[in-house]
Amino acid sequence: MDLFSGLIHGFSVALTPMNLLFGFLGAVIGTIIGILPGLGPLGTMALLLSLTYGFDPTAGMILFAGIYFGAMYGGSTTSILLNIPGEAASVVTCIEGYQMARRGRAGAALAVAAIGSFVAGTISLIGLSFLAPTLANAALKFGPAEYFTVALVGLVIMSRLTGGNLLRSLMMIALGLALGTVGMETVAGYMRYTFGQPLLAQGIDFLPVAMGLFGISEVLVTAEEPAGNMQLQKVRFRELWPTLVEWKRSFWPIIRGSFIGFFVGLVPGPSPVISTMVSYSVESKLDKSGEFGKGAIEGVAGPEAANNAAVGAAYVPLMALGIPFTPAMAVVMAVLLIHGINPGPLLMTEKPDLFWGVIASMYIGNFMLLVFNLPLVGVFASIIRTPLYLLMPIVLLLCLVGVYSVNNSMLDIWLMTGFGLLGYLLRRLKYDLAPLVLALVLGPMMERSFREAMMISRGDLSIFLNRPISGTILLVGAIVLAAPLLISWIKPLISRKV
């Protein structure tokens, strides 16, 4: 099935009433979650993961895609109107967006953010439509050595790009890999670290871990924070249209942000957050108006385009290789795995309804978000007034019911509680949880691929260097790991010469 016939088939799947409903629900839920500070799309998807057991996997994937895209849209609303980033990827938008709101241009900032997100989302989906099938065909040449090195280098790159301490990131990766070894050993078949619990024979389930780390810990962290008084900037619908000058100043930042976001989204790590920072840095260096820091519309247009483009790009390695490069994609991957579907290069041929249906639904969802986000901006912004003492107990209840309903197991509740306390402690100590989650998901696949590669080579580790694709990937990982050290060593030499 070629690209165009695949997309036509995908739209026939995505336009069914049930899938349209799930796309709409995902867009609405994502927008609301993006507006409410704290929980974020990752925590929301983790909470709703148990509900997808009763859905068709295509519907579940469409729901989560809508949530992910919608959160990027919603996060900009409170960043601009309240100077409160509803989502981590909208932190940069606060800098210029709130200053525009204080100058009475909140409507223009919201319109540019929404339209920039729509344009960037469309560009990234076009890239996904072209790149995912191509990469999937190339991935058919991958063997165990290539899959191991892709996962290993992905974790290494992520440890460099999370923005935290390298040693702490590596510790989180090690903890995630260790948790991935719990259960039955894949070759010899003996039990590891099950402590006499038969339910742990299949390993630690992703669901209680995700719900604990991102749901329970969020409730505990939020309970510590005092409630604040918020001054909401009012925006009338007729004030949403930017001036011609603002459109001209926004056009190229949107285009640049779209491509920056897409290419950053292909790299392991929190790509929506990183892409906004890169875009803002680029626009501030290209600025000729002198308004940056005082309400430059370029500082809204570029980053908001970048974070949406990064979301579409994050689906490329998942759909083509079966490897999640972000924690959110790890949750999306879990939707497929609980239905017995393995993402990867064969997904396009074995499950064309799902592959093309999800991609087509993203085009539809992106349009839905644009249509109802602008007219209802005041309604969505008022949601932030919801008291947290009402919201957090609902989140806690969803966690408890959701995790128990899957296996009817008290062990899952205890695991979720334990990981919730662990997540709370790690967040208080400023540890990033993303490397732990990705390592937990990738760990079993890495172990299996490593063992298979060793069987093929009869224990010769040089197989990872001798195979061209595997060797190239390892070289890239070594360069990324050594680059900061080389830069810190070269900088003083250059400054002395100057």
Side-chain angles (χ1 to χ4, degrees):
M1 190 180 292
D2 60 31
L3 173 64
F4 295 104
S5 60
L7 280 175
I8 291 170
H9 178 69
F11 277 106
S12 70
V13 174
L15 288 171
T16 59
M18 185 58 69
N19 287 336
L20 274 176
L21 175 62
F22 276 95
F24 177 75
L25 287 175
V28 173
I29 293 170
T31 302
I32 294 172
I33 290 303
I35 288 169
L36 293 170
L39 195 57
L42 176 58
T44 306
M45 289 191 285
L47 291 177
L48 297 178
L49 184 58
S50 60
L51 297 180
T52 63
Y53 278 73
F55 299 160
D56 178 78
T58 304
M61 290 279 286
I62 288 172
L63 176 71
F64 279 16
I67 290 172
Y68 206 1
F69 274 99
M72 299 300 113
Y73 273 79
S76 63
T77 302
T78 48
S79 295
I80 293 167
L81 298 181
L82 291 164
N83 201 27
I84 298 173
E87 222 293 298
S90 298
V91 170
V92 173
T93 309
C94 291
I95 302 171
E96 306 299 332
Y98 187 64
Q99 293 301 319
M100 287 186 68
R102 294 183 65 183
R103 290 196 287 109
R105 299 304 298 156
L110 288 166
V112 165
I115 293 170
S117 296
F118 173 75
V119 172
T122 304
I123 289 173
S124 73
L125 290 174
I126 292 171
L128 170 61
S129 303
F130 278 94
L131 191 56
T134 304
L135 187 58
N137 289 330
L140 293 173
K141 299 178 182 177
F142 278 31
E146 285 76 16
Y147 274 104
F148 174 78
T149 51
V150 166
L152 176 65
V153 171
L155 290 175
V156 169
I157 293 175
M158 186 178 182
S159 69
R160 276 295 185 190
L161 296 181
T162 50
N165 181 279
L166 175 61
L167 181 59
R168 290 187 173 196
S169 294
L170 292 176
M171 288 171 63
M172 290 294 96
I173 289 172
L175 178 58
L177 292 175
L179 290 171
T181 62
V182 174
M184 185 179 291
E185 196 270 339
T186 54
V187 177
Y190 59 84
M191 297 296 179
R192 302 179 297 188
Y193 316 119
T194 58
F195 303 101
Q197 291 287 340
L199 290 174
L200 288 178
Q202 300 300 316
I204 295 177
D205 193 20
F206 178 77
L207 183 61
V209 176
M211 282 191 170
L213 291 177
F214 299 104
I216 301 296
S217 69
E218 184 62 41
V219 173
L220 296 174
V221 170
T222 304
E224 287 187 328
E225 297 175 356
N229 295 320
M230 291 168 287
Q231 301 270 339
L232 183 62
Q233 301 273 349
K234 292 185 179 179
V235 181
R236 295 184 181 90
F237 182 70
R238 63 174 178 270
E239 296 174 353
L240 288 173
W241 199 251
T243 64
L244 184 61
V245 173
E246 287 171 332
W247 276 126
K248 287 181 178 179
R249 288 175 56 183
S250 303
F251 178 77
W252 285 112
I254 288 173
I255 300 301
R256 283 191 292 267
S258 300
F259 284 96
I260 288 170
F262 183 77
F263 287 110
V264 172
L266 298 174
V267 178
S271 50
V273 180
I274 295 171
S275 64
T276 57
M277 295 176 180
V278 174
S279 175
Y280 185 81
S281 177
V282 168
E283 296 308 325
S284 63
K285 289 176 182 176
L286 295 174
D287 175 50
K288 296 179 182 177
S289 66
E291 290 187 13
F292 262 73
K294 304 172 186 176
I297 198 165
E298 296 90 340
V300 175
E304 282 301 311
N307 64 29
N308 258 70
V311 171
Y315 276 85
V316 174
L318 176 68
M319 303 281 267
L321 301 176
I323 299 176
F325 276 1
T326 69
M329 288 300 102
V331 181
V332 174
M333 180 177 174
V335 177
L336 297 175
L337 294 179
I338 62 179
H339 287 279
I341 299 171
N342 291 316
L346 297 178
L347 182 66
M348 184 174 63
T349 53
E350 292 179 350
K351 300 286 182 180
D353 286 2
L354 188 149
F355 184 89
W356 293 109
V358 170
I359 291 177
S361 76
M362 292 181 188
Y363 286 97
I364 298 167
N366 206 29
F367 181 72
M368 282 182 182
L369 284 163
L370 178 67
V371 168
F372 73 76
N373 258 272
L374 284 176
L376 299 178
V377 64
V379 176
F380 282 125
S382 65
I383 292 171
I384 199 168
R385 295 185 176 132
T386 305
L388 290 176
Y389 64 81
L390 293 178
L391 185 64
M392 288 301 111
I394 295 172
V395 171
L396 184 60
L397 182 63
L398 286 172
C399 288
L400 291 170
V401 173
V403 79
Y404 183 76
S405 63
V406 176
N407 296 318
N408 296 328
S409 169
M410 283 299 298
L411 178 63
D412 286 348
I413 290 181
W414 287 115
L415 283 173
M416 181 186 69
T417 305
F419 280 105
L421 294 172
L422 176 64
Y424 168 75
L425 179 63
L426 291 174
R427 289 175 66 173
R428 299 300 298 168
L429 295 173
K430 307 299 181 185
Y431 281 79
D432 189 1
L433 301 178
L436 189 158
V437 174
L438 274 187
L440 173 63
V441 173
L442 295 177
M445 184 270 286
M446 289 177 66
E447 181 185 12
R448 185 175 61 254
S449 298
F450 180 80
R451 299 287 290 270
E452 289 172 355
M454 289 294 93
M455 289 178 184
I456 293 170
S457 66
R458 296 184 180 181
D460 187 359
L461 288 170
S462 65
I463 185 175
F464 299 107
L465 296 173
N466 294 338
R467 293 175 68 93
I469 297 175
S470 176
T472 304
I473 294 169
L474 284 176
L475 178 62
V476 170
I479 292 171
V480 170
L481 198 59
L485 297 173
L486 293 174
I487 292 170
S488 63
W489 180 65
I490 293 171
K491 262 188 177 179
L493 297 177
I494 295 174
S495 59
R496 285 176 193 171
K497 290 181 181 180
V498 173

